[in-house]
Amino acid sequence: MVRTIGVFDSGVGGLSVLHHIRDALPEARLIYVADSAHVPYGGRSAAYIEARSMALTRFLLSQGAEAIVIACNTATAAAALPLRKQFSNIPFIGMEPAVKPAVAATRSNVVGVLATVGTLESARFAALLDKYAGNVKIVTQGCPGLVELVERDELHSVEARSLVERYTAPLLAAGADTFILGCTHYPFLAPLIREVVGEQITLIDTGAAVARELKRRVDSELSPCEMQGVAGSESFYTSGDAEQAARIVSQLWGKQVVVEPLPHAYR
Ligand code: DGL
């Protein structure tokens, strides 16, 4: 038996998490789905995202996934609860903006959050602030357009720089010294964000913490499986154009990979 983990995102953003999952579970079989035909999730209704998350989960389970990482803050906000209710025997590991570590890290007592509008407007995010913000001022900034840039592999274009400048300026003006990258696409823009905001700003993302949490839950909740010496593998699927996805996935994953079309029943 091979330990099999399913991972999904609206597009290629979740690959920033998949890198950490690969490191945490080197012998596992990883199945990644990019819902490219429906990206971006950020401006869509919670009901739409929930329906897509259900379909992608059903596909991952049909492929043998034993645990699922919702490698998307927006989908976690919209669908983590209904997914856990519908598939109550499956561990789901969701993602949310790293408010707690950012509040611990700030010296200026102002934290900036870059995320999708869907995440920032969710009840889940409001609850997160209630729980962890304390006396720290939290300044939020929705970032329409950033996800699309990453999907086009435009990590350093003129347009990318001007959007990053526009979205980070209000956070800098408010005195934030710590920025949360609250969308899994944004770590791919971190080098550009760093160039724009300078070395003194702390950038926080949750990929590594999510991979650690996945490993903890796999070890404690799934039946043991003898994986000694097994080579890990990855398979990639998309609901969009498979050739186009293969180019961008290969680029962001760091090696040439094949991306298969998601079967029609799940699109
Ligand atoms: N990568 C996603 C997130 O973490 C979704 C972005 C989108 O599709 O708008 O929120």
Side-chain angles (χ1 to χ4, degrees):
M1 185 190 156
V2 180
R3 178 66 77 224
T4 303
I5 307 296
V7 181
F8 75 86
D9 178 40
S10 60
V12 293
L15 294 170
S16 69
V17 186
L18 199 72
H19 281 287
H20 293 288
I21 296 175
R22 179 76 290 158
D23 292 345
L25 297 172
E27 291 161 339
R29 169 173 169 244
L30 306 179
I31 307 173
Y32 184 91
V33 188
D35 200 13
S36 323
H38 302 269
V39 72
Y41 281 177
R44 296 194 187 275
S45 71
Y48 189 101
I49 299 168
E50 181 182 325
R52 290 309 305 150
S53 301
M54 290 283 173
L56 302 178
T57 296
R58 275 194 285 273
F59 170 70
L60 290 166
L61 296 177
S62 78
Q63 300 301 300
E66 301 158 280
I68 293 190
V69 178
I70 311 168
C72 175
N73 295 260
T74 315
T76 300
L81 286 179
L83 285 171
R84 287 182 176 129
K85 200 164 159 210
Q86 176 81 17
F87 305 98
S88 54
N89 56 336
I90 300 292
F92 283 92
I93 293 81
M95 314 226 13
E96 45 197 20
V99 175
K100 192 180 174 193
V103 163
T106 180
R107 296 277 168 269
S108 67
N109 269 343
V110 185
V111 164
V113 187
L114 300 165
T116 68
V117 172
T119 296
L120 296 176
E121 288 182 349
S122 68
R124 203 181 167 99
F125 182 66
L128 196 63
L129 294 189
D130 279 347
K131 195 162 171 196
Y132 295 119
N135 296 327
V136 168
K137 182 173 172 198
I138 309 285
V139 188
T140 62
Q141 176 66 53
C143 306
L146 287 192
V147 164
E148 292 90 325
L149 286 170
V150 176
E151 291 292 322
R152 295 198 299 267
D153 193 20
E154 274 192 44
L155 307 182
H156 288 281
S157 65
V158 174
E159 190 191 344
R161 177 174 286 271
S162 95
L163 271 188
V164 165
E165 281 170 356
R166 188 193 315 161
Y167 292 144
T168 55
L171 307 186
L172 293 170
D177 65 347
T178 305
F179 289 11
I180 298 172
L181 306 182
C183 166
T184 54
H185 283 72
Y186 303 168
F188 290 116
L189 291 165
L192 176 61
I193 297 173
R194 170 65 66 213
E195 260 175 57
V196 169
V197 302
E199 289 302 321
Q200 71 288 358
I201 301 293
T202 304
L203 301 180
I204 296 193
D205 96 82
T206 29
V210 164
R212 278 197 302 276
E213 173 67 1
L214 168 67
K215 179 161 171 38
R216 191 188 67 73
R217 298 212 34 204
V218 163
D219 290 346
S220 65
E221 293 175 37
L222 300 183
S223 50
C225 115
E226 195 45 71
M227 299 279 293
Q228 217 61 23
V230 174
S233 67
E234 303 94 31
S235 3
F236 299 92
Y237 292 84
T238 178
S239 56
D241 181 277
E243 269 180 41
Q244 194 182 324
R247 276 195 295 280
I248 172 81
V249 171
S250 299
Q251 180 67 25
L252 298 180
W253 185 241
K255 75 176 189 217
Q256 207 58 40
V257 297
V258 174
V259 178
E260 294 177 57
L262 190 68
H264 277 284
Y266 304 101
R267 289 197 193 183

